[in-house]
Amino acid sequence: AQTVTQSQPEMSVQEAETVTLSCTYDTSENNYYLFWYKQPPSRQMILVIRQEAYKQQNATENRFSVNFQKAAKSFSLKISDSQLGDTAMYFCAFMGMDSNYQLIWGAGTKLIIKP
Amino acid sequence: DAGVTQSPTHLIKTRGQQVTLRCSPISGHKSVSWYQQVLGQGPQFIFQYYEKEERGRGNFPDRFSARQFPNYSSELNVNALLLGDSALYLCASSSSGTGVSGTQYFGPGTRLTVL
């Protein structure tokens, strides 16, 4: 069975700093997708970034980028020039092609951006 | 374009009652997934429907059921409510349910409280 682990329950940084959130996963599948979602206090789960396992190039979306290490089964999220609006819970999620198309989630990291 | 919508926003029920939660996917999306998110945890997969057929089911008791309608909207039903069913119920839609088209976009959730 696949598992997703986020080892940092909570992190806080000053506004404009760079922060990296960690995620590791375990799977025997070769074809899968990895995601980072953001859940602010409003509760809505918002897609931040997606990585296809068959792509070696790390995904980037504006201030958000990932460091995908397939052999190490690691998928970290880097947020550059952090903003107050980045304050939220961040969840790492895995979707395998053999996983009934379900997302398997980590426990989340609470990120606080301080002014 | 409208995103995923869910109703109601909040719901309070007592033990033993039954509840129906509703979800409308993004226009053009044919797949709907349901997740349960207990406070302080990552979401847990309940069901996925694609083209009105169940394509995946998580480890939830038979008290949980769902269906998808011809317009691709969906209902989640929970019978004989228990205190432990109190949670945020998230609905997500995707274009096809697999691969890149399987990227899931979430609604705002329904907060269910069982007293």
Side-chain angles (χ1 to χ4, degrees):
Chain A
Q2 293 85 357
T3 58
V4 176
T5 302
Q6 294 180 250
S7 59
Q8 304 153 312
E10 184 170 325
M11 297 184 70
S12 65
V13 297
Q14 294 295 136
E15 192 177 8
E17 289 184 345
T18 294
V19 60
T20 298
L21 309 183
S22 300
C23 172
T24 58
Y25 58 95
D26 189 26
T27 184
S28 58
E29 297 187 44
N30 193 49
N31 296 318
Y32 52 87
Y33 295 84
L34 294 162
F35 305 85
W36 279 98
Y37 283 89
K38 164 186 176 181
Q39 189 176 40
S42 65
R43 309 177 325 204
Q44 178 122 23
M45 197 72 78
I46 301 166
L47 177 66
V48 175
I49 200 164
R50 176 186 66 213
Q51 175 76 43
E52 292 90 335
Y54 62 86
K55 289 186 176 180
Q56 291 187 337
Q57 186 173 6
N58 290 323
T60 299
E61 289 287 344
N62 301 313
R63 298 183 294 109
F64 300 87
S65 62
V66 299
N67 183 3
F68 173 49
Q69 302 290 328
K70 190 173 184 179
K73 296 180 182 175
S74 171
F75 183 60
S76 62
L77 174 70
K78 186 172 81 171
I79 305 173
S80 303
D81 186 27
S82 57
Q83 301 174 0
L84 297 178
D86 295 332
T87 293
M89 284 291 293
Y90 285 80
F91 291 94
C92 177
F94 169 97
M95 179 188 291
M97 295 300 100
D98 297 333
S99 305
N100 287 336
Y101 315 108
Q102 63 174 284
L103 284 168
I104 298 168
W105 301 78
T109 295
K110 183 177 183 179
L111 176 64
I112 299 170
I113 308 299
K114 297 179 287 187
Chain B
D1 286 341
V4 178
T5 60
Q6 292 186 244
S7 63
T9 304
H10 296 90
L11 205 51
I12 299 175
K13 293 285 188 179
T14 57
R15 282 178 295 174
Q17 285 189 313
Q18 175 264 341
V19 67
T20 298
L21 310 181
R22 295 176 175 83
C23 172
S24 291
I26 292 170
S27 178
H29 283 192
K30 298 181 178 180
S31 179
V32 169
S33 300
W34 288 94
Y35 294 84
Q36 181 196 66
Q37 186 179 21
V38 174
L39 189 63
Q41 298 180 17
Q44 296 291 318
F45 173 72
I46 309 175
F47 288 109
Q48 186 182 94
Y49 277 77
Y50 176 66
E51 288 281 17
K52 301 179 287 296
E53 292 194 3
E54 181 183 305
R55 193 157 64 174
R57 184 184 184 110
N59 188 25
F60 279 80
D62 291 344
R63 299 185 296 108
F64 289 76
S65 63
R67 54 180 175 169
Q68 186 177 33
F69 298 99
N71 66 354
Y72 303 110
S73 67
S74 178
E75 286 182 352
L76 174 69
N77 294 285
V78 187
N79 294 322
L81 285 167
L82 303 174
L83 295 179
D85 295 331
S86 295
L88 180 67
Y89 288 84
L90 296 168
C91 173
S93 78
S94 59
S95 178
S96 73
T98 63
V100 173
S101 298
T103 298
Q104 297 183 10
Y105 299 91
F106 285 80
T110 293
R111 170 72 66 189
L112 172 65
T113 302
V114 182
L115 302 176

